[in-house]
Amino acid sequence: MKKTILYVAITCLLAYPGWASYDYEVYTYGESKLLYNEETILVDQQGGMPSLILFESSSADIKGTSTLGDGMGGIWDINMSSNSRLEMTGGEVHMIDMDDDSTAILKGGLIEEIHIDQLFFTMEGDPPTQVPNPHITLYYFGDLPTLNASNILTGIWGNGDSFDIQLVNDTGVECNLLDNFDFILVPEPATLA
């Protein structure tokens, strides 16, 4: 009997791998959150909030949200600084504001704007030249995403949905915003098989 109870307990723990892996889990629209000191948050299903602030080494995993609306749904504003990290595979976000050494992995969802206020290049060589040091990894399918004259990044996510993201340069430095991106091509499902 004791062995059976032990096996059932272990099976329950293994069957739910997300258990205790996040400091916060948000599945409905609620209040804004401020994370710091390596705190973690998962936003999924109909989750959302007016703003999400990530300081220090905190991280967010956005898998899904409610429909975007200012004060009503989705996440209106994600502010990132220090060494914070964002991974987004779904959901709807109005703006991601990236400062310092924050990083983002973008695989899907609706993102209306990304404001970039970080140096994403290093100076190397003699004479010194700019070498890209990207902070955003974007997974795409098909043709390489393009940036038009209005700084709108257009492409297709790995799941086939299209995206149009307004990029805003808040650095005060003339730079190529695409240098802040590491583009990763997602292979066709047949190629994976």
Side-chain angles (χ1 to χ4, degrees), residues 108-141:
L110 168 71
I111 303 168
E112 292 184 339
E113 299 177 12
I114 299 177
H115 289 242
I116 299 169
D117 189 11
Q118 56 191 175
L119 292 177
F120 43 85
F121 56 85
T122 58
M123 300 301 287
E124 295 181 8
D126 187 23
T129 56
Q130 289 183 2
V131 176
N133 180 25
H135 290 83
I136 303 170
T137 303
L138 188 144
Y139 288 78
Y140 72 96
F141 177 74

CSV table of all heavy atoms in Angstrom, one decimal, residues 108-141:
chain,number,residue,atom,x,y,z
A,108,GLY,N,6.0,33.8,-31.6
A,108,GLY,CA,4.7,33.9,-32.1
A,108,GLY,C,3.9,34.9,-31.3
A,108,GLY,O,4.4,35.5,-30.3
A,109,GLY,N,2.6,35.2,-31.7
A,109,GLY,CA,1.7,36.1,-31.0
A,109,GLY,C,1.6,37.4,-31.7
A,109,GLY,O,2.2,37.6,-32.8
A,110,LEU,N,0.9,38.3,-31.2
A,110,LEU,CA,0.7,39.7,-31.7
A,110,LEU,C,1.6,40.6,-30.9
A,110,LEU,O,1.4,40.7,-29.6
A,110,LEU,CB,-0.8,40.1,-31.6
A,110,LEU,CG,-1.0,41.6,-31.9
A,110,LEU,CD1,-0.8,41.9,-33.3
A,110,LEU,CD2,-2.4,42.0,-31.4
A,111,ILE,N,2.5,41.3,-31.5
A,111,ILE,CA,3.3,42.3,-30.9
A,111,ILE,C,3.1,43.6,-31.8
A,111,ILE,O,3.5,43.6,-32.9
A,111,ILE,CB,4.8,41.9,-30.8
A,111,ILE,CG1,5.0,40.6,-30.1
A,111,ILE,CG2,5.6,43.1,-30.2
A,111,ILE,CD1,6.3,40.0,-30.2
A,112,GLU,N,2.6,44.6,-31.2
A,112,GLU,CA,2.3,45.8,-32.0
A,112,GLU,C,3.6,46.7,-32.1
A,112,GLU,O,3.9,47.2,-33.2
A,112,GLU,CB,1.2,46.7,-31.4
A,112,GLU,CG,-0.2,45.9,-31.6
A,112,GLU,CD,-1.4,46.8,-31.1
A,112,GLU,OE1,-1.2,47.7,-30.3
A,112,GLU,OE2,-2.5,46.5,-31.6
A,113,GLU,N,4.4,46.9,-31.0
A,113,GLU,CA,5.5,47.7,-31.0
A,113,GLU,C,6.7,47.1,-30.2
A,113,GLU,O,6.4,46.5,-29.2
A,113,GLU,CB,5.2,49.1,-30.5
A,113,GLU,CG,4.2,49.9,-31.2
A,113,GLU,CD,3.9,51.2,-30.5
A,113,GLU,OE1,4.7,51.6,-29.6
A,113,GLU,OE2,2.9,51.8,-30.9
A,114,ILE,N,7.9,47.3,-30.6
A,114,ILE,CA,9.1,47.1,-29.8
A,114,ILE,C,9.9,48.4,-29.7
A,114,ILE,O,10.3,48.9,-30.8
A,114,ILE,CB,9.9,45.9,-30.3
A,114,ILE,CG1,9.2,44.6,-30.4
A,114,ILE,CG2,11.2,45.8,-29.5
A,114,ILE,CD1,9.9,43.4,-31.0
A,115,HIS,N,10.1,48.9,-28.5
A,115,HIS,CA,10.9,50.1,-28.3
A,115,HIS,C,12.3,49.6,-27.9
A,115,HIS,O,12.4,48.9,-26.9
A,115,HIS,CB,10.3,51.0,-27.3
A,115,HIS,CG,9.0,51.7,-27.8
A,115,HIS,ND1,9.0,53.1,-27.9
A,115,HIS,CD2,7.8,51.2,-28.2
A,115,HIS,CE1,7.8,53.4,-28.4
A,115,HIS,NE2,7.1,52.3,-28.6
A,116,ILE,N,13.3,50.0,-28.6
A,116,ILE,CA,14.7,49.6,-28.3
A,116,ILE,C,15.5,50.7,-27.8
A,116,ILE,O,15.7,51.7,-28.4
A,116,ILE,CB,15.3,49.0,-29.6
A,116,ILE,CG1,14.5,47.8,-30.0
A,116,ILE,CG2,16.8,48.6,-29.3
A,116,ILE,CD1,14.9,47.3,-31.4
A,117,ASP,N,15.9,50.6,-26.5
A,117,ASP,CA,16.8,51.6,-25.9
A,117,ASP,C,18.0,50.9,-25.3
A,117,ASP,O,18.2,50.9,-24.0
A,117,ASP,CB,16.0,52.4,-24.8
A,117,ASP,CG,16.8,53.6,-24.3
A,117,ASP,OD1,17.8,53.9,-24.9
A,117,ASP,OD2,16.4,54.2,-23.3
A,118,GLN,N,18.8,50.3,-26.1
A,118,GLN,CA,19.9,49.5,-25.6
A,118,GLN,C,21.0,49.5,-26.8
A,118,GLN,O,20.6,49.6,-27.9
A,118,GLN,CB,19.5,48.1,-25.3
A,118,GLN,CG,18.8,47.3,-26.3
A,118,GLN,CD,18.2,46.0,-25.9
A,118,GLN,OE1,17.6,45.4,-26.6
A,118,GLN,NE2,18.4,45.6,-24.6
A,119,LEU,N,22.2,49.4,-26.3
A,119,LEU,CA,23.3,49.2,-27.3
A,119,LEU,C,23.3,47.8,-27.7
A,119,LEU,O,23.4,46.9,-26.9
A,119,LEU,CB,24.6,49.7,-26.8
A,119,LEU,CG,24.7,51.2,-26.5
A,119,LEU,CD1,26.1,51.5,-25.8
A,119,LEU,CD2,24.5,52.0,-27.7
A,120,PHE,N,23.3,47.5,-29.0
A,120,PHE,CA,23.3,46.2,-29.5
A,120,PHE,C,24.4,45.9,-30.5
A,120,PHE,O,24.3,45.1,-31.4
A,120,PHE,CB,21.9,45.8,-30.1
A,120,PHE,CG,21.3,46.8,-31.0
A,120,PHE,CD1,21.7,46.9,-32.4
A,120,PHE,CD2,20.4,47.7,-30.6
A,120,PHE,CE1,21.2,47.8,-33.2
A,120,PHE,CE2,19.9,48.7,-31.4
A,120,PHE,CZ,20.3,48.7,-32.7
A,121,PHE,N,25.5,46.6,-30.2
A,121,PHE,CA,26.8,46.3,-30.9
A,121,PHE,C,27.9,46.6,-30.0
A,121,PHE,O,27.8,47.3,-29.0
A,121,PHE,CB,26.8,47.2,-32.2
A,121,PHE,CG,26.7,48.7,-31.9
A,121,PHE,CD1,27.8,49.5,-31.5
A,121,PHE,CD2,25.5,49.4,-32.0
A,121,PHE,CE1,27.7,50.8,-31.2
A,121,PHE,CE2,25.4,50.7,-31.7
A,121,PHE,CZ,26.5,51.4,-31.3
A,122,THR,N,29.1,46.0,-30.4
A,122,THR,CA,30.3,46.2,-29.7
A,122,THR,C,31.3,46.8,-30.7
A,122,THR,O,31.1,46.7,-31.9
A,122,THR,CB,30.9,44.9,-29.0
A,122,THR,OG1,31.1,44.0,-30.1
A,122,THR,CG2,30.0,44.4,-28.0
A,123,MET,N,32.3,47.5,-30.2
A,123,MET,CA,33.4,48.0,-31.0
A,123,MET,C,34.6,47.1,-30.9
A,123,MET,O,35.1,46.8,-29.9
A,123,MET,CB,33.8,49.4,-30.5
A,123,MET,CG,32.6,50.4,-30.6
A,123,MET,SD,31.9,50.7,-32.2
A,123,MET,CE,33.1,51.6,-33.0
A,124,GLU,N,35.0,46.6,-32.1
A,124,GLU,CA,36.1,45.7,-32.2
A,124,GLU,C,37.1,46.0,-33.3
A,124,GLU,O,36.7,46.7,-34.3
A,124,GLU,CB,35.6,44.2,-32.4
A,124,GLU,CG,34.7,43.7,-31.2
A,124,GLU,CD,34.3,42.3,-31.5
A,124,GLU,OE1,34.7,41.7,-32.4
A,124,GLU,OE2,33.4,41.8,-30.7
A,125,GLY,N,38.3,45.6,-33.2
A,125,GLY,CA,39.3,45.8,-34.2
A,125,GLY,C,40.0,47.1,-34.2
A,125,GLY,O,39.8,48.0,-33.3
A,126,ASP,N,41.0,47.3,-35.1
A,126,ASP,CA,41.7,48.5,-35.2
A,126,ASP,C,41.9,48.8,-36.7
A,126,ASP,O,42.6,48.1,-37.4
A,126,ASP,CB,43.1,48.3,-34.6
A,126,ASP,CG,43.9,49.6,-34.5
A,126,ASP,OD1,43.3,50.7,-34.6
A,126,ASP,OD2,45.2,49.5,-34.4
A,127,PRO,N,41.2,49.8,-37.2
A,127,PRO,CA,40.4,50.8,-36.5
A,127,PRO,C,39.1,50.1,-36.0
A,127,PRO,O,38.6,49.1,-36.6
A,127,PRO,CB,40.1,51.8,-37.5
A,127,PRO,CG,40.1,51.1,-38.8
A,127,PRO,CD,41.2,50.1,-38.7
A,128,PRO,N,38.5,50.7,-34.9
A,128,PRO,CA,37.3,50.1,-34.3
A,128,PRO,C,36.1,50.1,-35.3
A,128,PRO,O,35.9,51.1,-36.0
A,128,PRO,CB,37.0,51.0,-33.1
A,128,PRO,CG,38.2,51.7,-32.8
A,128,PRO,CD,39.0,51.8,-34.2
A,129,THR,N,35.4,49.0,-35.4
A,129,THR,CA,34.2,48.9,-36.2
A,129,THR,C,33.1,48.3,-35.3
A,129,THR,O,33.3,47.5,-34.4
A,129,THR,CB,34.4,48.0,-37.5
A,129,THR,OG1,34.8,46.7,-37.1
A,129,THR,CG2,35.4,48.7,-38.4
A,130,GLN,N,31.8,48.6,-35.7
A,130,GLN,CA,30.7,48.1,-35.0
A,130,GLN,C,30.4,46.6,-35.4
A,130,GLN,O,30.4,46.3,-36.5
A,130,GLN,CB,29.4,48.9,-35.3
A,130,GLN,CG,29.4,50.3,-34.7
A,130,GLN,CD,28.1,51.0,-34.9
A,130,GLN,OE1,27.2,50.5,-35.6
A,130,GLN,NE2,28.0,52.2,-34.5
A,131,VAL,N,30.3,45.8,-34.4
A,131,VAL,CA,29.9,44.4,-34.5
A,131,VAL,C,28.6,44.1,-33.8
A,131,VAL,O,28.5,44.4,-32.6
A,131,VAL,CB,31.0,43.5,-34.0
A,131,VAL,CG1,30.6,42.0,-34.1
A,131,VAL,CG2,32.4,43.7,-34.7
A,132,PRO,N,27.6,43.6,-34.6
A,132,PRO,CA,26.3,43.4,-33.9
A,132,PRO,C,26.4,42.5,-32.7
A,132,PRO,O,27.1,41.5,-32.7
A,132,PRO,CB,25.4,42.8,-35.1
A,132,PRO,CG,26.1,43.2,-36.3
A,132,PRO,CD,27.6,43.3,-36.0
A,133,ASN,N,25.6,42.8,-31.7
A,133,ASN,CA,25.5,42.0,-30.5
A,133,ASN,C,24.0,42.0,-30.2
A,133,ASN,O,23.5,42.7,-29.3
A,133,ASN,CB,26.2,42.6,-29.3
A,133,ASN,CG,26.1,41.9,-28.1
A,133,ASN,OD1,25.9,40.7,-28.1
A,133,ASN,ND2,26.3,42.5,-26.9
A,134,PRO,N,23.2,41.1,-30.9
A,134,PRO,CA,21.7,41.2,-30.8
A,134,PRO,C,21.2,40.7,-29.5
A,134,PRO,O,21.8,39.9,-28.8
A,134,PRO,CB,21.3,40.2,-31.9
A,134,PRO,CG,22.4,39.4,-32.3
A,134,PRO,CD,23.7,40.2,-31.9
A,135,HIS,N,20.0,41.3,-29.1
A,135,HIS,CA,19.3,41.0,-27.9
A,135,HIS,C,18.0,40.4,-28.1
A,135,HIS,O,17.3,39.9,-27.2
A,135,HIS,CB,19.1,42.3,-27.0
A,135,HIS,CG,20.4,42.9,-26.5
A,135,HIS,ND1,21.2,43.7,-27.2
A,135,HIS,CD2,20.9,42.7,-25.2
A,135,HIS,CE1,22.2,44.0,-26.4
A,135,HIS,NE2,22.1,43.5,-25.2
A,136,ILE,N,17.6,40.3,-29.4
A,136,ILE,CA,16.3,39.7,-29.7
A,136,ILE,C,16.5,38.5,-30.7
A,136,ILE,O,17.1,38.7,-31.7
A,136,ILE,CB,15.4,40.7,-30.4
A,136,ILE,CG1,15.2,42.0,-29.4
A,136,ILE,CG2,14.0,40.1,-30.7
A,136,ILE,CD1,14.4,43.1,-30.1
A,137,THR,N,16.0,37.4,-30.3
A,137,THR,CA,16.0,36.2,-31.2
A,137,THR,C,14.6,36.0,-31.7
A,137,THR,O,13.7,35.9,-30.9
A,137,THR,CB,16.5,35.0,-30.5
A,137,THR,OG1,17.8,35.2,-29.9
A,137,THR,CG2,16.5,33.8,-31.4
A,138,LEU,N,14.4,36.1,-33.0
A,138,LEU,CA,13.1,36.0,-33.6
A,138,LEU,C,13.0,34.8,-34.6
A,138,LEU,O,13.8,34.7,-35.5
A,138,LEU,CB,12.7,37.2,-34.4
A,138,LEU,CG,11.3,37.3,-34.9
A,138,LEU,CD1,10.8,38.8,-34.8
A,138,LEU,CD2,11.1,36.8,-36.3
A,139,TYR,N,12.1,33.8,-34.3
A,139,TYR,CA,11.9,32.6,-35.1
A,139,TYR,C,10.9,32.9,-36.2
A,139,TYR,O,9.8,33.4,-35.9
A,139,TYR,CB,11.5,31.5,-34.2
A,139,TYR,CG,12.6,31.0,-33.3
A,139,TYR,CD1,12.9,31.6,-32.2
A,139,TYR,CD2,13.2,29.8,-33.6
A,139,TYR,CE1,13.9,31.2,-31.4
A,139,TYR,CE2,14.3,29.3,-32.8
A,139,TYR,CZ,14.6,30.0,-31.7
A,139,TYR,OH,15.6,29.5,-30.9
A,140,TYR,N,11.2,32.7,-37.4
A,140,TYR,CA,10.3,33.0,-38.5
A,140,TYR,C,10.3,31.8,-39.5
A,140,TYR,O,11.1,30.9,-39.4
A,140,TYR,CB,10.8,34.2,-39.3
A,140,TYR,CG,12.1,34.0,-40.1
A,140,TYR,CD1,12.0,33.7,-41.5
A,140,TYR,CD2,13.3,34.0,-39.5
A,140,TYR,CE1,13.2,33.4,-42.2
A,140,TYR,CE2,14.5,33.7,-40.3
A,140,TYR,CZ,14.4,33.4,-41.6
A,140,TYR,OH,15.5,33.2,-42.3
A,141,PHE,N,9.3,31.9,-40.4
A,141,PHE,CA,9.1,30.8,-41.4
A,141,PHE,C,9.1,31.5,-42.8
A,141,PHE,O,8.6,32.7,-42.9
A,141,PHE,CB,7.8,30.1,-41.2
A,141,PHE,CG,7.5,29.1,-42.3
A,141,PHE,CD1,8.2,27.9,-42.3
A,141,PHE,CD2,6.5,29.3,-43.2
A,141,PHE,CE1,7.9,26.9,-43.3
A,141,PHE,CE2,6.3,28.4,-44.2
A,141,PHE,CZ,6.9,27.2,-44.2
